[in-house]
Amino acid sequence: MKNCFKFLLSFIVAASFLSGCATSNAMVEIQGEVWYKARIALPPEAVISIKVQDVSLMDAPAVVIAEFERSDVSTPTPFQFLINRDQFEAGHTYTVGARITLNDKLMFINEQAYRIDLDSSEPISVLLQKVAR
């Protein structure tokens, strides 16, 4: 009886340890593409920046969780983020934001929020609008 109890106790401890590892190491994949409608080729110096951000607090700037940046921008520009699920807090709102700059001047930006559903693997299509000068 003692051995059975020890085995059962060891099994429960091991199972809870393993399930804790699986949860803490779970990754969230956020992927999609950023595009713009304007029929222009951008110079190679143009830079696209794509961010995953926490926008939960209304009176505070968004908190950047992850960021992807590259030059030689094309449309569409695919993106993929693999982020540890532990970085996301329950009840918070997360979005993807993007912008294209040239020599640190804003050229394109998303004008609407692209909300992230952490339980969905559907790609997100982010439309950028040309900034008026």
Side-chain angles (χ1 to χ4, degrees):
M1 184 76 162
K2 273 187 174 180
N3 285 340
C4 182
F5 178 73
K6 284 182 184 178
F7 173 76
L8 184 58
L9 184 60
S10 320
F11 178 76
I12 291 171
V13 169
S16 65
F17 175 74
L18 290 175
S19 69
C21 288
T23 304
S24 65
N25 291 331
M27 301 299 280
V28 173
E29 179 183 19
I30 301 164
Q31 48 112 6
E33 63 185 18
V34 174
W35 59 286
Y36 56 89
K37 289 181 182 179
R39 295 180 183 259
I40 60 171
L42 297 177
E45 304 85 43
V47 175
I48 188 166
S49 173
I50 306 167
K51 298 177 182 181
V52 172
Q53 48 203 3
D54 182 342
V55 295
S56 300
L57 300 176
M58 291 227 175
D59 296 336
V63 176
V64 177
I65 306 296
E67 183 174 8
F68 166 81
E69 197 171 89
R70 78 171 230 206
S71 58
D72 192 27
V73 180
S74 62
T75 187
T77 299
F79 66 86
Q80 178 184 28
F81 293 98
L82 289 173
I83 303 171
N84 194 317
R85 189 170 285 276
D86 292 349
Q87 289 190 257
F88 298 97
E89 294 185 47
H92 282 224
T93 302
Y94 298 93
T95 63
V96 172
R99 61 179 46 215
I100 298 174
T101 57
L102 179 61
N103 299 325
D104 293 324
K105 292 184 180 168
L106 185 62
M107 293 183 68
F108 291 88
I109 192 164
N110 61 289
E111 292 182 346
Q112 74 176 61
Y114 293 91
R115 195 170 177 157
I116 297 170
D117 179 354
L118 297 174
D119 296 320
S120 174
S121 61
E122 288 295 314
I124 299 171
S125 181
V126 179
L127 174 61
L128 301 183
Q129 301 293 333
K130 189 163 178 31
V131 174
R133 293 197 182 222

